[in-house]
Amino acid sequence: MTILTLPAAQELESRTQATELVRLFRLAEEKIKLVENLNQALSIPAINELRYAGFHMSQFLAGGDKAEEQLSKAESHCKRAIYDAVEAGVTHQLEVIAKFQDDFRLLIISETIPDYRKIKEEANDARDLILEPRAPAEREAYYEKCSEHLENLRKAQKKLDLYREDLLKALKRQSNKSLVTWLTAISCVACVIAAIYAPLAYYKTDKTTEPTVAATQPSTPAAPLAATPAQTSPAKTANTR
């Protein structure tokens, strides 16, 4: 005859807690991997929290007087790993969207992307959520909202990337149009300057070619020439003898 014994209530609670811990640990790994693919970098705080969770799990498996307490600590570290990973993902998505807005700040993006206003509202809500102070008891609700924002921002980024090529073409057309406008303006200014200085240059040239009138001075009578000894008459010479 086989006697069936029911597990103690404390043992059932430990098993349930261990099952939940395994679920949280796997979820944290998924979120860390997701954020790594999005950010192209590891979330170091989340990895550290997951490492601490593994340490407390090993302490629980080793047994001891405070084995149940180790499970609770491991669960807390798993949750913090999830929070840190999701928050890092949202922060990165906000940076990507902000970079997109800065790249095309000279364009009216909503003319090309119909849902752009909705994307901006989603980004603003996510930013406000991250910056909003909260109590430790609100972390779980915060994680849920962050996870929702992360998924929405991922979809928004994909949509923005689809329109990037069209916006680049629009930006190039605007740059060419601005260049033509500047060249036209410069040509107009050059024409105005030429129109102003051309008469002045002609007037100066015409003034330098005028004939100079010499001042007339009264002529003075020439003085009589004195007679030289060789020119004296022979008669005067004969009388002196």
Side-chain angles (χ1 to χ4, degrees):
M1 181 177 180
T2 305
I3 300 176
L4 298 177
T5 57
L6 295 176
Q10 185 177 3
E11 184 180 353
L12 287 174
E13 184 178 354
S14 297
R15 289 181 182 178
T16 303
Q17 191 174 6
T19 302
E20 177 64 11
L21 178 59
V22 172
R23 185 188 72 84
L24 291 174
F25 193 91
R26 290 176 178 174
L27 181 61
E29 285 184 321
E30 292 176 3
K31 295 300 181 182
I32 291 174
K33 189 65 178 178
L34 172 64
V35 172
E36 179 185 356
N37 292 332
L38 290 176
N39 300 10
Q40 297 299 313
L42 291 173
S43 176
I44 302 302
I47 292 177
N48 286 337
E49 292 293 341
L50 207 58
R51 181 168 61 86
Y52 299 147
F55 170 77
H56 290 294
M57 289 172 67
S58 65
Q59 294 296 312
F60 167 76
L61 294 175
D65 297 336
K66 298 182 179 180
E68 305 300 330
E69 183 180 347
Q70 297 299 324
L71 269 184
S72 298
K73 289 182 179 180
E75 183 176 342
S76 297
H77 283 296
C78 284
K79 289 181 179 180
R80 281 197 288 269
I82 295 170
Y83 302 154
D84 290 341
V86 172
E87 189 174 79
V90 171
T91 302
H92 176 74
Q93 293 301 112
L94 290 175
E95 291 175 353
V96 171
I97 293 176
K99 179 66 167 56
F100 183 92
Q101 293 172 338
D102 183 67
D103 290 342
F104 302 105
R105 62 188 179 278
L106 300 179
L107 299 175
I108 303 176
I109 303 177
S110 56
E111 293 181 352
T112 305
I113 305 176
D115 298 336
Y116 181 66
R117 182 174 180 179
K118 184 178 179 181
I119 293 174
K120 288 181 65 177
E121 291 176 353
E122 178 66 33
N124 291 336
D125 292 342
R127 187 179 297 106
D128 293 341
L129 178 65
I130 291 178
L131 297 177
E132 181 182 357
R134 67 192 60 84
E138 300 174 344
R139 294 290 295 180
E140 189 168 352
Y142 168 73
Y143 155 70
E144 296 293 339
K145 291 180 180 179
C146 259
S147 297
E148 183 179 351
H149 282 301
L150 179 59
E151 293 302 318
N152 293 336
L153 292 175
R154 285 179 58 200
K155 294 177 182 178
Q157 182 193 348
K158 289 181 180 180
K159 179 171 291 188
L160 294 178
D161 288 340
L162 289 175
Y163 287 96
R164 177 175 286 274
E165 186 175 354
D166 295 336
L167 289 171
L168 286 173
K169 292 179 180 178
L171 189 62
K172 186 176 181 180
R173 286 194 300 269
Q174 185 178 20
S175 299
N176 293 336
K177 190 179 298 184
S178 299
L179 180 61
V180 171
T181 303
W182 275 104
L183 291 177
T184 304
I186 292 173
S187 300
C188 292
V189 171
C191 292
V192 171
I193 294 174
I196 294 174
Y197 281 94
L200 296 177
Y202 175 79
Y203 175 75
K204 185 181 292 186
T205 304
D206 185 63
K207 189 174 181 180
T208 55
T209 57
E210 289 182 357
T212 56
V213 180
T216 58
Q217 297 180 354
S219 58
T220 57
L225 298 176
T228 60
Q231 294 177 345
T232 57
S233 60
K236 290 183 177 181
T237 307
N239 291 332
T240 55
R241 293 180 181 177

